């Protein structure tokens, strides 16, 4: 079964193909309007969402398929104490493909171990958000005409922001992409993402200075400070408005800078920036999500992919003695789940579900 758990599930060629298919869908909507007739998408959202869930549902309906699901864990049997494994085993009997969002990191990987139908990760805690990344890449390709040779600034909550983790991983597949990571010290990019870049000798700068970084950027990807992931409310209050992009800060930006944001925004992009139609690409970006998600559904339901060799657990070893200590990891709540890990270059063990180091 072919799943989309992390962006690394797709090769660069497949990502480029998805971008081309999305563009073709935009130009020829009618051609695709019955391609999923008789198929059912389940959207299981254990965590709030507007764009991701609705664009998935809109995507399946635009393909002629049907949808079912829930948008709130309280209205599912999770609230009665049902395990994720049991929920997925049951729902995979009711649907042909499942898109799920969960507050715990690694939950979609656990789901894929119990599902008879493809699982799409629509966001797992502060970990990954691969479908957002695919629509971000589609947006970059449409706005700039290419994805190679760009200087990309990512600003805000790089620690808990799952979209930036998947985006940086994907952009590392393209040529000559330079990164500027703009965040306060407390919200820096996790080590395991920097390690991906280090391994490939890809240039990145870490700074807390948004204004000083703007002039060199081709893309500025703003993110929300992720209030729901903070354990310390005071820390959130201190950091919440640390970056606010306004018109004045854009004075020294390139004319053809593209400003992206996965949305929802809080204060990090002033509303006045919306008037800068050419550079403010975030609402076009959200619309692109519908077409990219149509392409993703088509790809995962393609017959060729149903016998796909499952790669995720290939390098996994059972870690009998050590357990993942990340309280945000699915291993902290799911009963009967074996601790699986992968060995990294320097002999570190990383939890296969959340990528945190196991000590
Ligand atoms: C993002 C998410 O859920 O991670 N939103 C989205 O999917 N468009 C970003 C966020 O919530 O800040």
């Amino acid at each position: 079964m072919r799943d989309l758990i992390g962006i690394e599930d797709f090769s660069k060629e497949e990502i480029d193909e998805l971008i081309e298919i999305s563009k073709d869908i935009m130009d020829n909507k009618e051609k695709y309007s019955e391609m999923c007739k008789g198929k059912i998408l389940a959207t299981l959202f254990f965590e709030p969402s507007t764009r991701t869930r609705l664009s998935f549902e809109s995507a399946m309906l635009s393909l002629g398929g049907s949808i079912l699901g829930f948008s709130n864990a309280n209205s599912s049997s999770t609230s009665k104490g049902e395990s994720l494994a049991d929920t997925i085993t049951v729902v995979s009997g009711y649907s042909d493909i499942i898109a799920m969002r969960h507050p715990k990191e690694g939950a979609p990987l656990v789901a894929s171990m119990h599902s008879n139908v493809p699982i799409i990760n629509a966001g797992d805690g502060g970990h990954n958000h691969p479908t957002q990344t695919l629509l971000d890449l589609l947006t970059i390709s449409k706005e700039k005409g290419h994805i190679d040779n760009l200087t990309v600034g990512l600003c805000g909550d790089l620690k808990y922001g799952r979209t930036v983790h998947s985006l940086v991983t994907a952009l590392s597949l393209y040529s000559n992409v330079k990164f500027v990571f703009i965040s306060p010290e407390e919200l820096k990019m996790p080590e395991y993402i920097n390690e991906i870049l280090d391994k490939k000798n890809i240039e990145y700068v870490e700074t807390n200075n948004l204004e000083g970084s703007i002039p060199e950027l081709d893309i500025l990807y703003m993110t929300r400070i992720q209030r729901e992931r903070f354990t310390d409310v005071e820390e959130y209050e201190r950091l919440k408005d640390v970056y606010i992009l306004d018109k004045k800060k854009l004075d020294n930006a390139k004319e053809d800078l593209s400003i992206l944001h996965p949305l929802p925004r809080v204060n990090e992009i002033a509303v006045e920036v919306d008037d800068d139609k050419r550079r403010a690409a975030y609402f076009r970006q959200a619309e692109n999500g519908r077409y990219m998600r149509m392409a993703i559904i088509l790809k995962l339901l393609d017959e060729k992919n149903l016998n796909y060799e499952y790669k995720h657990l290939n390098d996994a070893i059972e870690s009998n003695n050590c357990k993942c200590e990340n309280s945000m990891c699915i291993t902290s709540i799911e009963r009967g789940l074996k601790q699986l890990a992968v060995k990294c270059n320097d002999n570190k063990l990383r939890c296969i579900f959340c990528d945190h180091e196991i000590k």
Side-chain angles (χ1 to χ4, degrees), residues 51-52 101 129 132 162-163 224 226 262-264:
R51 268 149 299 273
T52 305
R101 169 172 287 187
H129 197 348
Q132 178 68 44
R162 54 193 169 199
T163 63
R224 173 177 71 89
Q226 307 275 303
L263 305 179

Side-chain angles (χ1 to χ4, degrees), residues 32-40 60 63-66 96 301:
Y32 291 86
S33 65
E34 302 223 340
M35 284 199 180
C36 284
K37 207 167 170 196
K39 300 282 184 199
I40 298 175
M60 191 48 151
L63 290 165
S66 313
D96 299 288
L301 285 178

Side-chain angles (χ1 to χ4, degrees), residues 157-175:
D157 189 344
L158 307 185
K159 179 179 179 188
Y160 297 120
R162 54 193 169 199
T163 63
V164 293
H165 304 156
S166 298
L167 182 57
V168 170
T169 308
L171 285 171
S172 77
L173 300 171
Y174 289 82
S175 306

Side-chain angles (χ1 to χ4, degrees), residues 62-338:
S62 305
L63 290 165
S66 313
I67 51 168
L68 52 82
F70 53 81
S71 55
N72 183 336
N74 293 333
S75 64
S76 78
S77 286
T78 307
S79 62
K80 301 179 187 168
E82 183 170 59
S83 68
L84 178 61
D86 287 0
T87 306
I88 294 295
T89 303
V90 170
V91 176
S92 74
Y94 299 159
S95 58
D96 299 288
I97 184 163
I98 296 174
M100 63 172 284
R101 169 172 287 187
H102 201 284
K104 291 288 183 190
E105 302 176 11
L109 180 56
V110 172
S112 73
M113 292 157 76
H114 297 275
S115 178
N116 297 320
V117 302
I119 295 284
I120 302 172
N121 178 3
D124 62 325
H127 190 215
N128 284 328
H129 197 348
T131 67
Q132 178 68 44
T133 289
L134 289 166
L135 77 91
D136 295 341
L137 295 177
L138 169 62
T139 307
I140 294 173
S141 165
K142 284 183 67 192
E143 298 286 321
K144 311 296 293 184
H146 56 94
I147 304 178
D148 300 311
N149 305 316
L150 293 172
T151 300
V152 180
L154 299 111
C155 175
D157 189 344
L158 307 185
K159 179 179 179 188
Y160 297 120
R162 54 193 169 199
T163 63
V164 293
H165 304 156
S166 298
L167 182 57
V168 170
T169 308
L171 285 171
S172 77
L173 300 171
Y174 289 82
S175 306
N176 193 28
V177 175
K178 297 189 183 107
F179 295 98
V180 184
F181 296 157
I182 308 156
S183 76
E185 187 62 28
E186 296 88 332
L187 300 177
K188 277 167 78 172
M189 196 63 92
E191 201 183 293
Y192 74 90
I193 299 292
N194 289 349
E195 279 173 12
I196 293 173
L197 301 181
D198 290 338
K199 232 188 255 172
K200 297 183 175 179
N201 275 326
I202 295 173
E203 212 180 294
Y204 62 91
V205 174
E206 296 187 288
T207 172
N208 57 15
N209 183 353
L210 171 61
E211 228 163 332
S213 306
I214 284 182
E216 61 175 312
L217 303 179
D218 301 303
I219 305 283
L220 173 55
Y221 194 96
M222 294 296 293
T223 62
R224 173 177 71 89
I225 308 295
Q226 307 275 303
R227 176 168 49 92
E228 66 276 31
R229 314 256 179 253
F230 280 74
T231 44
D232 179 349
V233 185
E234 271 171 33
E235 185 171 66
Y236 169 73
E237 287 298 326
R238 188 162 44 79
L239 296 174
K240 66 179 183 189
D241 289 328
V242 61
Y243 298 113
I244 298 180
L245 182 68
D246 53 20
K247 268 192 171 159
K248 187 160 182 315
K249 289 205 182 76
L250 287 169
D251 280 352
N252 297 322
K254 289 186 183 171
E255 290 266 297
D256 64 347
L257 168 75
S258 290
I259 305 164
L260 272 65
H261 190 307
L263 305 179
R265 84 173 135 184
V266 188
N267 292 326
E268 58 280 355
I269 301 181
V271 175
E272 62 182 22
V273 176
D274 300 1
D275 297 337
D276 191 338
K277 294 279 180 252
R278 175 164 181 206
R279 294 190 282 197
Y282 30 93
F283 291 116
R284 294 191 288 276
Q285 179 186 4
E287 191 184 341
N288 289 336
R290 174 178 178 192
Y291 304 105
M292 176 49 86
R293 288 180 170 122
M294 287 171 76
I296 295 167
I297 291 171
L298 284 173
K299 179 157 182 78
L300 293 179
L301 285 178
D302 186 340
E303 292 294 319
K304 290 197 294 284
N305 284 315
L306 295 178
N307 291 321
Y308 186 78
E309 193 199 339
Y310 192 65
K311 280 191 305 202
H312 259 283
L313 303 176
N314 276 1
D315 302 324
I317 50 171
E318 256 182 64
S319 160
N320 294 323
N321 306 327
C322 323
K323 232 187 119 356
C324 180
E325 286 174 5
N326 173 15
S327 63
M328 294 311 296
C329 179
I330 187 68
T331 53
S332 68
I333 57 161
E334 183 76 358
R335 295 183 294 278
L337 180 62
K338 284 189 186 138

